[in-house]
Amino acid sequence: MSAPVVAVRDLVVVRGGVEVLPGISLDVAPGVTGLLGPSGCGKTTLMRALVGAQRVRSGTVEVLGEPAGSAGLRTRVGYVTQAASVYDDLTVAENLAFFARVLGVDRASAEEAVAAVGLHDTREKVVGRLSGGQRSRVSLAVALLGSPDLLVLDEPTVGLDPVLRRDLWALFHRIADGGAAVLVSSHVMDEAERCDRLLLMREGRIIADGAPEEIRRSTGARDVEEAFLRLVEGPGDAA
Amino acid sequence: MSARVTLAVAGRVLRQVRRDHRTLAMLLVVPCVLMSLLWWMFDGLPGAMFDRFGPALLAMFPFIVMFLVTSVTTLRERSSGTLERLLAMPMGKLDFLLGYALAFGLLAALQSALAVAVSVGLLGLDVNGPVWLLGVVAVVDAVLGTALGLLVSAFATTEFQAVQFMPAFVLPQILLCGLFVPRDAMPDVLGAVSDLLPLSYAVDAMQELVGRADQGEVWRSVGVVAGFAVVSLALGAATLRRRTP
Ligand SMILES: Nc1ncnc2c1ncn2[C@@H]1O[C@H](COP(=O)(O)OP(=O)(O)OP(=O)(O)O)[C@@H](O)[C@H]1O
Ligand SMILES: [Mg+2]
């Protein structure tokens, strides 16, 4: 496999006086990688560190060969925050047009991004009047602008219906097939099977790392949820 | 810094305001109504009271309104995650700040054009200096309000708190700007404090234009207000952090 897209080494992050990430190390390769773990385990914190939004205490975070947050990365990394970060008082098209101008991306690319998330028919609607799922797809469309080499998606499928979820996962795989790396977080374990690779996280640490099938096999579990529980509670076979 | 990004921000802010009809109406109509009210109140009283209070009011509108609007909008940007997203994009802090300053400066120009037209054209406010200079003072004043609004939004976590900064930051300036008591007639301590507050200079500039109309004096006051605006923008830039805890 080629050099990792993301390389995190001994990353320590302290938030509100608590060591949220007490020295985490991991790699993210091209393909769709799932970052799975219970609520509060530090997924958002880790993702913020990857895009250079998180103040870190020590350790290194390298993205596409540069330190995270470098100026050169700002057009190459797409980031979807957990809450839809778009303007509620603008229409879908206006939101996309604004972010496209900031990124220096042409309008055609904005149209493409809207179509990719299936919002073509709602493009003239004001975002504040869309459903929660539609809003988060607008936010996702913004991250797709300019075809970034790394997409960091913080729980992009929460609150979506099964059909949409399936479609979005298909989209993530299409993007990955185009050569980009996609890192998707979720606290819903049943999304695990849709990933090429998984990072299972708990209390700021990676407790398992590998293909879903690999993780299942090594723990002898039927599904990833059970594997996670065995890793946490089971007879010390975590590795 | 990039002109493209600055203009994108300014364009977006103006679009947001334009979509919000109520805010737009408040921005443009309320100053005209208040000027008329002031004129009506003093109508029939001896002395040129409207000429004394009118200019100060013209200096206050852009400052107060832009302070409020900016502190709430930028607080929204901070809490909704759009600021975090923008700063992860190729957006300089100055692009963001100047984009806002540009948008609200333009709005202020429109606002004061209307308020001045009503005051001078309809209500007979006597202006000895050039009328366009009133507009310049108003715009610089609005940029100051915008800059201070940006700055205080960093210290508020809710919109409710942001609005509370208005009495804390703005009311003292209104009291000490020379509207109620001429600045040189105040107790020494208050006079000194008044010398440190930007709104005093904005009011000075407006009153000078209406009174003796020494243009050098006007530009000097405008310069002081602009200086305050630049310092506030610089402090505001320091509160925009790409990395947050
Ligand atoms: N702004 C903050 N200030 C202080 N502590 C914070 C802050 N944000 C998060 N934390 C703490 O950091 C820890 C990790 O939070 P984080 O948001 O990274 O979790 P998460 O895995 O993304 O959870 P979820 O699945 O609920 O989104 C939590 O214990 C949380 O209380
Ligand atoms: Mg989270």
Side-chain angles (χ1 to χ4, degrees):
Chain A
M1 203 175 277
S2 51
V5 178
V6 173
V8 177
R9 295 291 173 269
D10 307 317
L11 176 67
V12 179
V13 173
V14 176
R15 299 185 86 173
V18 179
E19 250 188 21
V20 175
L21 301 179
I24 197 174
S25 297
L26 59 101
D27 286 340
V28 177
V32 179
T33 305
L35 178 64
L36 300 187
S39 184
C41 74
K43 301 182 295 294
T44 299
T45 307
L46 176 61
M47 291 185 141
R48 279 167 43 84
L50 299 188
V51 299
Q54 177 66 50
R55 194 177 298 161
V56 305
R57 172 151 300 179
S58 63
T60 57
V61 183
E62 224 170 67
V63 176
L64 300 163
E66 290 185 63
S70 306
L73 292 175
R74 290 193 192 127
T75 50
R76 299 182 65 197
V77 178
Y79 174 38
V80 176
T81 51
Q82 195 162 355
S85 37
V86 285
Y87 297 98
D88 277 348
D89 42 5
L90 296 180
T91 67
V92 176
E94 286 167 344
N95 265 289
L96 268 293
F98 167 63
F99 286 108
R101 275 180 81 191
V102 171
L103 286 165
V105 163
D106 61 11
R107 276 186 171 255
S109 172
E111 296 280 331
E112 253 171 57
V114 173
V117 298
L119 284 179
H120 191 77
D121 297 335
T122 40
R123 51 193 307 292
E124 297 306 332
K125 276 203 183 162
V126 174
V127 171
R129 280 186 222 123
L130 298 180
S131 73
Q134 288 172 324
R135 286 182 74 227
S136 63
R137 277 186 286 154
V138 180
S139 193
L140 177 60
V142 171
L144 299 180
L145 287 170
S147 316
D149 299 317
L150 169 65
L151 266 180
V152 178
L153 312 175
D154 201 353
E155 312 217 8
T157 55
V158 167
L160 300 185
D161 59 80
V163 178
L164 256 175
R165 264 180 18 183
R166 183 199 62 202
D167 291 350
L168 283 184
W169 279 99
L171 171 66
F172 301 156
H173 280 284
R174 275 205 307 282
I175 293 166
D177 291 343
V182 184
L183 179 65
V184 187
S185 78
S186 178
H187 61 254
V188 188
M189 293 289 167
D190 62 5
E191 308 223 272
E193 299 297 337
R194 306 180 194 259
C195 302
D196 300 327
R197 224 182 107 228
L198 294 177
L199 294 165
L200 296 193
M201 194 172 177
R202 181 172 184 258
E203 292 175 0
R205 295 173 197 281
I206 301 294
I207 56 170
D209 171 356
E213 186 209 70
E214 227 173 284
I215 291 179
R216 267 185 284 128
R217 193 153 18 88
S218 70
T219 53
R222 266 167 300 141
D223 54 33
V224 174
E225 181 149 1
E226 195 185 319
F228 184 87
L229 291 173
R230 285 196 184 188
L231 285 166
V232 173
E233 297 159 357
D237 55 353
Chain B
M1 230 201 92
S2 129
R4 183 195 77 230
V5 178
T6 305
L7 290 176
V9 173
R12 186 212 84 214
V13 171
L14 286 175
R15 198 177 281 271
Q16 283 177 298
V17 174
R18 211 178 59 198
R19 178 129 307 141
D20 184 353
H21 297 294
R22 248 173 263 179
T23 299
L24 192 60
M26 299 265 275
L27 271 165
L28 300 179
V29 178
V30 169
C32 299
V33 173
L34 288 179
M35 287 309 286
S36 311
L37 190 65
L38 188 77
W39 168 85
W40 192 15
M41 198 168 73
F42 288 132
D43 191 36
L45 286 183
M49 298 292 266
F50 183 58
D51 286 345
R52 185 178 150 213
F53 285 94
L57 227 61
L58 282 177
M60 273 173 213
F61 293 135
F63 178 72
I64 297 175
V65 171
M66 300 309 163
F67 177 87
L68 266 179
V69 175
T70 317
S71 56
V72 172
T73 16
T74 46
L75 182 74
R76 245 180 239 168
E77 293 239 27
R78 285 177 204 270
S79 53
S80 72
T82 46
L83 181 65
E84 179 169 318
R85 167 169 249 165
L86 285 174
L87 290 178
M89 287 182 173
M91 149 110 34
K93 294 173 189 176
L94 264 186
D95 294 328
F96 183 83
L97 291 168
L98 294 181
Y100 263 91
L102 188 61
F104 287 127
L106 277 173
L107 272 176
L110 193 60
Q111 180 192 56
S112 59
L114 284 174
V116 168
V118 168
S119 307
V120 177
L122 278 177
L123 307 173
L125 181 71
D126 254 333
V127 182
N128 294 325
V131 173
W132 63 267
L133 243 183
L134 283 174
V136 172
V137 178
V139 169
V140 175
D141 209 15
V143 172
L144 173 72
T146 297
L148 279 178
L150 273 160
L151 181 57
V152 302
S153 76
F155 302 99
T157 50
T158 62
E159 287 180 25
F160 191 53
Q161 285 176 9
V163 174
Q164 296 306 315
F165 279 118
M166 151 87 185
F169 271 77
V170 177
L171 273 183
Q173 300 202 48
I174 294 179
L175 290 179
L176 296 176
C177 72
L179 175 64
F180 299 102
V181 177
R183 295 210 294 133
D184 43 19
M186 284 181 197
D188 290 346
V189 176
L190 292 185
V193 173
S194 154
D195 285 346
L196 295 175
L197 300 175
L199 190 63
S200 309
Y201 296 91
V203 170
D204 277 358
M206 287 290 189
Q207 281 176 338
E208 183 67 34
L209 268 171
V210 173
R212 287 184 302 139
D214 175 348
Q215 285 206 33
E217 279 294 306
V218 175
W219 282 110
R220 204 181 58 89
S221 299
V222 168
V224 175
V225 177
F228 273 106
V230 169
V231 171
S232 315
L233 278 176
L235 291 175
T239 68
L240 295 178
R241 300 214 174 264
R242 284 188 203 277
R243 285 185 188 274
T244 50

